[in-house]
Amino acid sequence: MNALAATSRNFKQAAKLLGLDSKLEKSLLIPFREIKVECTIPKDDGTLASYVGFRVQHDNARGPMKGGIRYHHEVEPDEVNALAQLMTWKTAVANIPYGGAKGGIGCSPGDLSISELERLTRVFTQKIHDLIGIHTDVPAPDMGTNGQTMAWILDEYSKFHGYSPAVVTGKPVDLGGSLGRDAATGRGVLFATEALLAEHGKSIAGQRFVIQGFGNVGSWAAQLITEAGGKVIAISDVTGAVKNINGLDIAKLMKHSAENRGIKGFEGGDAVDSNSLLTEECDVLIPAALGGVINKDNADDIKAKYIIEAANHPTDPEADEILAKKGVLILPDILANSGGVTVSYFEWVQNIQGFMWDEEKVNRELKTYMTRAFRDTKEMCSSHHCDLRMGAFTLGVNRVARATVLRGWEA
Ligand SMILES: NC(=O)C1=CN([C@@H]2O[C@H](COP(=O)(O)OP(=O)(O)OC[C@H]3O[C@@H](n4cnc5c(N)ncnc54)[C@H](O)[C@@H]3O)[C@@H](O)[C@H]2O)C=CC1
Ligand SMILES: O=C(O)CCC(=O)C(=O)O
């Protein structure tokens, strides 16, 4: 199912559970602004290349819009729209004072040199600088982008508006980034998983994990889960998949991946088919790469007891239904991966205050926010007799609806 159709379907189900009136429902669904820009840059060989960039600003009832920028060849308007909408509900689930946005450029970052990526990022920033801002819309990294990308956006934006570190988060620490932001999404995944397992009398220690994706989120999740005593038995990335039922050596896999631009060829396990990774025998499955990977074609074959959605919208609604019948518990994206935007909020606060927190404080506050979001979601599950996805959606949608009504925007 198309990402926007899937996200909107979840939203509409939550709106129904909450009994929202149809005018309010419609105003919450429609994005505030959709931006599409053509970014033309000279390639290193002197030829010109054009890429389409998007920024969808979904909602700002609760504060400045917030969300990552993705560089990936599959970036297209409907997906960016869906991801922006998810950010609106996610920031509300985390109870941080933001709305939601998302951006992206349709490109293959691995095929571009560093200087081409820099030129592309600067041109994109030139085209959208008037529409983003510290109190308007604050970008951050997502798939295919990182702290360096944010540093280029910061620098380009500052040429127009003066030095403005709070205009992006996920920056390098040397440029006002927060300690702990790089690991935050993975660490948030750890805290959320701990909270879910604890409800079932379990802990991370002794559980077998399978992770799809070994980028920022997947690699940090793998490291932190291993440190907490979990056994990561299989991992995939775009280059391949590797399995070791005794547990992969994550530190060695990190080194191999950095040196070889991927996990392919890692000798600390057996190479396995990436396509069957999601259906490997395990206790906890963590999709941490693309959307829509768990769908009606593979849901019935999934053997995990728990799915922790580190990626955004990895599970189609049809798969949700199949997995629910099998008794698989899904911790939804807007809760499970909210650690990233939560520490982005801490970074923005630090930039505005001009005061830097130590890493221990960042991680401690992150745990408090993740635990609270999990508890608030469970309360919605109890009051609306629904699963965790609908618990998180009703929590997020209700908070945004209340702010919308208070601001007098629903009419
Ligand atoms: N970076 C962040 O702070 C946050 C990221 N997310 C979500 O987490 C997911 C991953 O994001 P990042 O780790 O930041 O991206 P990244 O670009 O750092 O890493 C992406 C990883 O996915 C792998 N991948 C790509 N295609 C694949 C495929 N077909 N099969 C297996 N692996 C594949 C890549 O090889 C890479 O290891 C995305 O869905 C993103 O939206 C969610 C919240 C915050
Ligand atoms: O850190 C942020 O502002 C946004 C991260 C993001 O794009 C996401 O949570 O999907």
Side-chain angles (χ1 to χ4, degrees):
M1 190 185 285
N2 162 304
L4 184 56
T7 305
S8 302
R9 180 165 141 171
N10 287 330
F11 162 77
K12 283 178 186 161
Q13 202 179 328
K16 196 169 167 194
L17 281 172
L18 291 165
L20 296 189
D21 80 50
S22 58
K23 261 199 307 192
L24 179 56
E25 179 179 331
K26 195 171 170 196
S27 81
L28 290 177
L29 193 57
I30 296 172
F32 169 76
R33 186 190 277 143
E34 295 173 80
I35 304 156
K36 179 180 172 190
V37 292
E38 189 78 25
C39 303
T40 304
I41 55 156
K43 299 283 292 283
D44 292 345
D45 64 7
T47 59
L48 287 182
S50 269
Y51 303 89
V52 183
F54 303 93
R55 184 77 181 165
V56 175
Q57 298 173 330
H58 177 254
D59 192 279
N60 60 1
R62 299 181 67 260
M65 294 169 283
K66 187 85 189 81
I69 291 184
R70 176 177 289 199
Y71 288 179
H72 192 267
H73 62 276
E74 282 171 6
V75 163
E76 50 85 24
D78 269 8
E79 176 161 70
V80 183
N81 225 309
L83 292 166
Q85 191 194 134
L86 282 174
M87 286 307 307
T88 299
W89 317 136
K90 188 186 302 184
T91 53
V93 167
N95 216 357
I96 53 179
Y98 287 138
K102 200 85 171 199
I105 300 181
C107 67
S108 299
D111 296 342
L112 298 178
S113 69
I114 292 288
S115 47
E116 288 167 342
L117 282 170
E118 177 172 353
R119 286 196 287 277
L120 181 57
T121 305
R122 287 187 186 277
V123 170
F124 183 54
T125 311
Q126 287 160 17
K127 302 252 167 156
I128 65 166
H129 75 88
D130 265 340
L131 300 168
I132 61 172
I134 298 168
H135 299 291
T136 320
D137 177 6
V138 183
D142 190 77
M143 270 187 95
T145 58
N146 54 28
Q148 177 61 75
T149 324
M150 296 307 113
W152 291 325
I153 297 178
L154 160 58
D155 186 65
E156 201 59 33
Y157 179 89
S158 295
K159 287 179 189 166
F160 295 94
H161 303 274
Y163 188 59
S164 316
V167 74
V168 283
T169 59
K171 300 176 290 290
V173 173
D174 287 330
L175 264 185
S178 178
L179 293 166
R181 172 60 184 90
D182 199 39
T185 311
R187 195 178 296 279
V189 164
L190 173 81
F191 292 148
T193 309
E194 279 175 342
L196 179 65
L197 291 176
E199 289 226 311
H200 299 260
K202 297 176 185 168
S203 66
I204 300 276
Q207 303 294 316
R208 295 162 306 154
F209 291 80
V210 166
I211 303 179
Q212 182 188 51
F214 200 58
N216 171 277
V217 180
S219 67
W220 272 110
Q223 285 177 75
L224 295 167
I225 284 165
T226 304
E227 277 171 26
K231 201 187 271 186
V232 181
I233 59 167
I235 296 188
S236 70
D237 72 2
V238 74
T239 67
V242 62
K243 176 178 173 182
N244 184 337
I245 52 163
N246 297 315
L248 290 159
D249 185 328
I250 302 302
K252 283 193 180 146
L253 185 57
M254 293 279 295
K255 189 166 179 288
H256 173 92
S257 177
E259 286 167 1
N260 300 278
R261 298 184 79 189
I263 64 179
K264 190 175 177 193
F266 181 61
E267 287 176 354
D270 302 320
V272 289
D273 180 5
S274 299
N275 296 322
S276 58
L277 182 104
L278 298 170
T279 57
E280 285 287 343
E281 182 78 45
C282 65
D283 302 304
V284 185
L285 174 63
I286 306 187
L290 299 170
V293 292
I294 302 176
N295 47 51
K296 62 178 171 18
D297 298 331
N298 60 6
D300 211 25
D301 297 325
I302 283 180
K303 297 174 192 73
K305 300 172 196 73
Y306 304 94
I307 296 176
I308 312 294
E309 294 187 336
N312 283 306
H313 77 86
T315 315
D316 265 358
E318 289 115 322
D320 262 341
E321 282 169 22
I322 298 167
L323 291 161
K325 283 191 192 125
K326 282 163 63 91
V328 179
L329 275 184
I330 303 177
L331 199 65
D333 46 10
I334 55 173
L335 169 58
N337 70 31
S338 63
V341 73
T342 298
V343 176
S344 275
Y345 164 56
F346 300 159
E347 179 172 325
W348 182 77
V349 167
Q350 291 171 72
N351 292 154
I352 289 170
Q353 288 187 330
F355 184 82
M356 201 166 165
W357 299 1
D358 65 32
E359 194 164 353
E360 199 196 327
K361 175 170 164 121
V362 171
N363 293 342
R364 193 174 61 241
E365 292 289 335
L366 173 60
K367 186 164 190 171
T368 302
Y369 275 66
M370 292 302 301
T371 311
R372 184 183 66 186
F374 181 80
R375 189 200 59 214
D376 292 352
T377 297
K378 289 292 295 184
E379 277 172 17
M380 291 306 263
C381 293
S382 301
S383 51
H384 294 284
H385 309 289
C386 60
D387 65 10
L388 285 160
R389 188 179 311 284
M390 271 312 112
F393 262 82
T394 49
L395 176 64
V397 171
N398 196 37
R399 284 179 175 157
V400 181
R402 284 210 307 259
T404 305
V405 172
L406 282 167
R407 295 184 73 165
W409 289 358
E410 81 280 20

